[in-house]
Amino acid sequence: MVLSVLKGKTLTGARSRTSSRTLFVFLFGFLAGAAISNSLYFYVFEQRSLRSAIYAEDDIDDDIDELGLPHFLSETKVVDGSTITIEDGNVASAGSSSDHTHFSSDLNTNTSSDDISICWLMSYPNSGTSFTMRLARIDSNCTAATNYPLETAHDNNGSLITHASLDSVLSLYPTHNQKGQSPRPPFILHPHMNRPSKYILTKTHCAGPCIGCKPKRYRTNAAFFAKECQNSHSNHDHYEPQSMNAVKKVVHLVRDPMDNAVSNYHLELKKYKRKGEDEKLKIFTNDREGFRKFCKIQDAKYVKEEQKVFGEAKWNILKNVPCHALFFSYAQWHSHAYEITTENTGMSMFDAPVPRLNMFYEDYRNATYHDSKAKLFTFLELEDIQERAIFHEGKTYRDEYFTKEEITKIMKLIKFFAIGEVWDLLLQRYDY
């Protein structure tokens, strides 16, 4: 019938024109609706990304503090005496085995998921997450995992697939519901590598900092934080929350708060560059002056709201600290990380005590590197089979970006807002 309308052979002229107009209106409406729907999808995705980009992004800082091969770049293996380069599971090149340091070719990808438990790597963004994941993965020749599916979806050139489909990620624990396949975190970073026999190190930033947000958004409670630790922070609504029954251990990673704040500022600069926001990059330069400008603007942004939310006494502690929202978020994040994983706090997500390993970014320095690595591998029950991961220590900003008076005020802020156990942990490493 549609064909006859278009050809105008079976209907009268008036009826044909009427039907053609109807068809035109229908097609126009359909295409317009599709365009609106598509625009809405990308708007929703963008809004989600604003909140979750800091979680799902591989946090490699400009300062080389976490610099190295991202998980999607090529690696080499020796097969039958020849070296092959693997890029995302695809053979990219071959050569002599003497050309490269290589992984073992004896892959153990058939380890049952039921035999593997999750060890959370809980880290405030830019605390050494990438290197810790890379260290465990490379030197054990076993894959790690992440709660963020977009980190596992790359094309053959190593670029992120921003609208990854369910088919492009591999969950450690695939499940099904009424909608069909519905994987839940964690997601395997390297499906073609060995799987660990006991514990798989799994990245989660939980509820990371909401930079530039109002205090009602960056001030969170432990219950919200705990829920975010399980979520994938993806544009896909049909990813299920992570099952807590599988989480058996926790690695809590900590970095100097001043270095961490500046490192997160550098991450903001990367976002500006990625979005083409050149005017912001002219104002917020990659140095102390740019950081100070950034803090000054952020500190003045929501003064009235912060006074109302925190009250006079707490506001007096916050107001004279540069980038006070960042340092409050730091204290809050580490406190929640401790509260939801420790039995005696009354806020634990777990029915039984969960073994935890506290690690400091600074322990990866030369003098303590091997001790830290040994502690991590023992905790994960991983076999240390090679020395290939290299730690490139990043800059320290404490004395360059902050005055002694400011450092004292920052640490007093953290002491006030952090729980006692976290403050005691920080005092083991950081002076003020």
Side-chain angles (χ1 to χ4, degrees), residues 21 52 85 111 188 218 235 270 293-294 300 312 341 357 370 422:
R21 284 197 299 270
S52 65
T85 301
T111 302
I188 302 296
Y218 71 71
N235 55 309
K270 284 185 176 182
K293 287 180 181 178
F294 179 82
E312 183 178 355
T341 57
L357 174 65
H370 286 96
V422 168

Side-chain angles (χ1 to χ4, degrees), residues 195-263:
R195 292 188 183 183
S197 59
K198 294 286 187 69
Y199 301 96
I200 187 165
L201 190 62
T202 300
K203 173 182 173 179
T204 179
H205 287 315
C206 301
C210 189
I211 297 175
C213 296
K214 293 183 178 181
K216 287 185 177 180
R217 290 196 63 192
Y218 71 71
R219 190 187 187 195
T220 62
N221 57 40
F224 173 79
F225 183 90
K227 183 179 179 181
E228 294 296 280
C229 292
Q230 298 174 262
N231 288 341
S232 67
H233 300 284
S234 168
N235 55 309
H236 294 298
D237 291 330
H238 29 274
Y239 285 126
E240 297 181 8
Q242 189 172 70
S243 171
M244 292 308 301
N245 293 330
V247 182
K248 302 298 183 183
K249 288 187 176 184
V250 168
V251 173
H252 185 167
L253 189 58
V254 183
R255 186 183 183 184
D256 180 285
M258 273 63 77
D259 293 345
N260 189 265
V262 178
S263 188

Side-chain angles (χ1 to χ4, degrees), residues 40-52 163 235 275:
L40 181 60
Y41 170 80
F42 282 106
Y43 171 78
V44 171
F45 176 80
E46 184 179 79
Q47 297 307 306
R48 281 177 169 270
S49 297
L50 289 175
R51 184 70 178 92
S52 65
H163 302 290
N235 55 309
K275 295 177 182 178

Side-chain angles (χ1 to χ4, degrees), residues 97-323:
S97 62
S98 62
D99 295 339
H100 305 281
T101 302
H102 59 81
F103 289 127
S104 166
S105 60
D106 299 325
L107 298 183
N108 180 27
T109 57
N110 295 322
T111 302
S112 172
S113 297
D114 294 335
D115 297 330
I116 304 174
S117 297
I118 295 169
C119 176
W120 271 350
L121 175 59
M122 302 182 74
S123 61
Y124 192 78
N126 282 287
S127 295
T129 317
S130 297
F131 177 75
T132 304
M133 296 282 285
R134 191 162 58 251
L135 172 63
R137 173 177 59 83
I138 292 178
D139 285 9
S140 72
N141 194 25
C142 290
T143 186
T146 176
N147 275 6
Y148 313 116
L150 294 187
E151 289 189 341
T152 70
H154 300 86
D155 61 23
N156 290 331
N157 295 319
S159 300
L160 278 169
I161 303 172
T162 54
H163 302 290
S165 68
L166 289 172
D167 295 334
S168 62
V169 298
L170 178 63
S171 171
L172 181 64
Y173 305 111
T175 59
H176 291 77
N177 63 14
Q178 294 179 354
K179 296 180 181 179
Q181 186 164 347
S182 179
R184 63 175 60 179
F187 304 97
I188 302 296
L189 283 174
H190 289 273
H192 296 275
M193 289 186 71
N194 296 335
R195 292 188 183 183
S197 59
K198 294 286 187 69
Y199 301 96
I200 187 165
L201 190 62
T202 300
K203 173 182 173 179
T204 179
H205 287 315
C206 301
C210 189
I211 297 175
C213 296
K214 293 183 178 181
K216 287 185 177 180
R217 290 196 63 192
Y218 71 71
R219 190 187 187 195
T220 62
N221 57 40
F224 173 79
F225 183 90
K227 183 179 179 181
E228 294 296 280
C229 292
Q230 298 174 262
N231 288 341
S232 67
H233 300 284
S234 168
N235 55 309
H236 294 298
D237 291 330
H238 29 274
Y239 285 126
E240 297 181 8
Q242 189 172 70
S243 171
M244 292 308 301
N245 293 330
V247 182
K248 302 298 183 183
K249 288 187 176 184
V250 168
V251 173
H252 185 167
L253 189 58
V254 183
R255 186 183 183 184
D256 180 285
M258 273 63 77
D259 293 345
N260 189 265
V262 178
S263 188
N264 276 299
Y265 165 67
H266 292 160
L267 186 59
E268 288 297 299
L269 297 185
K270 284 185 176 182
K271 293 178 185 177
Y272 299 156
K273 185 176 181 180
R274 187 171 62 245
K275 295 177 182 178
E277 297 178 325
D278 295 335
E279 291 303 315
K280 287 185 178 180
L281 290 172
K282 290 178 182 178
I283 299 171
F284 304 122
T285 51
N286 189 11
D287 53 20
R288 183 183 188 275
E289 183 181 358
F291 175 74
R292 304 290 294 197
K293 287 180 181 178
F294 179 82
C295 288
K296 187 174 182 179
I297 291 174
Q298 294 298 319
D299 290 341
K301 208 169 184 179
Y302 300 114
V303 171
K304 291 184 178 179
E305 290 92 333
E306 287 173 325
Q307 288 176 325
K308 182 177 180 180
V309 168
F310 287 103
E312 183 178 355
K314 294 179 180 177
W315 170 244
N316 286 335
I317 295 172
L318 291 164
K319 66 181 182 181
N320 293 320
V321 173
C323 276

Side-chain angles (χ1 to χ4, degrees), residues 75-91:
E75 294 168 349
T76 58
K77 306 174 192 281
V78 171
V79 180
D80 296 330
S82 297
T83 298
I84 61 172
T85 301
I86 306 293
E87 294 181 355
D88 295 322
N90 299 315
V91 177

Side-chain angles (χ1 to χ4, degrees), residues 57-68:
E57 194 170 300
D58 196 27
D59 48 329
I60 300 174
D61 191 74
D62 286 331
D63 311 306
I64 322 181
D65 54 0
E66 300 184 27
L67 185 63

